Amino acid sequence: MVNTSLPFGWNTDFILDQIDNYGFCVIDQVYDSDFFTALNTECLQHLNEFRAAGIQNGVVSHIRSDHILWLDDTQVLAKQHRENLLALGKVFNQAFFMGINQVEAHFARYGVGEAYALHRDNPQQKNDRIISTVFYMHDIWQDDWGGELRLQDKQDHWHVIIPKPNRMVVFDSNLLHEVQVSKQQRLSITAWLRHDNEVW
Ligand code: OGA
Ligand code: MN
């Protein structure tokens, strides 16, 4: 039975307020330690299936050097995370009429020296991504290990966000951002709350 309510610790008033004012929000202690550990284990079990994110249909892009695995329903814990995000999407719909009806997600692994250059997740609003979320799931992270998410908020201020374990950053997919060079293995689930016109 899939739990469709929000995890207990997610403070929706805070999240809505931050998204409204700044276009982004940082949430810490996203999951309890049992779920966090299980999710980390699930990700590690699939590492050999990850593929270079910068290669699509044989075309190589140099903007990013991480490796990813698109999620389907076979990763049961990551699926629960997606369900939680869909519930969050419904909260956004009520507050901001965003029309979110889908979540697409992948695991991502940045190895030593890997990065993702400045970009938007929804260039020219072409691909229906409304809200981006990144949940960090390596088991430890030190402040000098790089791999920061640099993000420009909707008031044009830049923020440097350390990818602390069990932290999630939620932001408007139109905002400019980048992943700085990582000095350690950096694991995450990136997920987009989408508005798709036809959902069957
Ligand atoms: C992305 C992205 C940010 C991060 O996958 O599009 O910008 O902190 N990720 O991993
Ligand atoms: Mn991005």
Side-chain angles (χ1 to χ4, degrees), residues 56-196:
Q56 266 177 21
N57 303 323
V59 179
V60 180
S61 144
H62 297 289
I63 180 178
R64 64 191 297 185
S65 43
D66 58 317
H67 286 67
I68 63 170
L69 175 68
W70 287 100
L71 298 174
D72 56 32
D73 289 353
T74 59
Q75 301 93 6
V76 290
L77 299 164
K79 182 178 181 201
Q80 179 67 60
H81 178 62
R82 282 191 287 138
E83 298 286 344
N84 296 338
L85 291 174
L86 194 56
L88 180 63
K90 290 184 178 151
V91 173
F92 286 143
N93 289 346
Q94 278 167 10
F96 306 126
F97 308 102
M98 287 178 169
I100 290 161
N101 56 15
Q102 283 278 69
V103 178
E104 72 174 328
H106 62 58
F107 286 137
R109 171 187 184 274
Y110 290 75
V112 176
E114 295 182 350
Y116 192 161
L118 211 55
H119 68 281
R120 299 177 206 273
D121 289 345
N122 191 13
Q124 287 96 46
Q125 285 150 29
K126 270 190 198 143
N127 63 9
D128 303 320
R129 291 172 173 171
I130 307 216
I131 294 280
S132 303
T133 72
V134 192
F135 173 68
Y136 302 111
M137 46 188 293
H138 29 258
D139 49 15
I140 52 165
W141 199 263
Q142 291 178 11
D143 291 358
D144 61 353
W145 283 0
E148 297 92 345
L149 171 63
R150 263 189 86 238
L151 176 138
Q152 185 182 38
D153 72 18
K154 72 182 227 191
Q155 305 182 11
D156 295 342
H157 296 127
W158 283 93
H159 302 265
V160 176
I161 303 162
I162 294 173
K164 295 195 172 169
N166 211 4
R167 165 174 277 183
M168 181 164 70
V169 188
V170 177
F171 56 98
D172 182 326
S173 297
N174 295 309
L175 294 178
L176 258 183
H177 60 282
E178 69 180 348
V179 179
Q180 297 187 316
V181 174
S182 187
K183 298 180 187 165
Q184 295 283 335
Q185 171 164 279
R186 177 190 191 273
L187 299 175
S188 59
I189 298 179
T190 302
W192 293 275
L193 312 189
R194 300 174 54 102
H195 168 73
D196 288 323

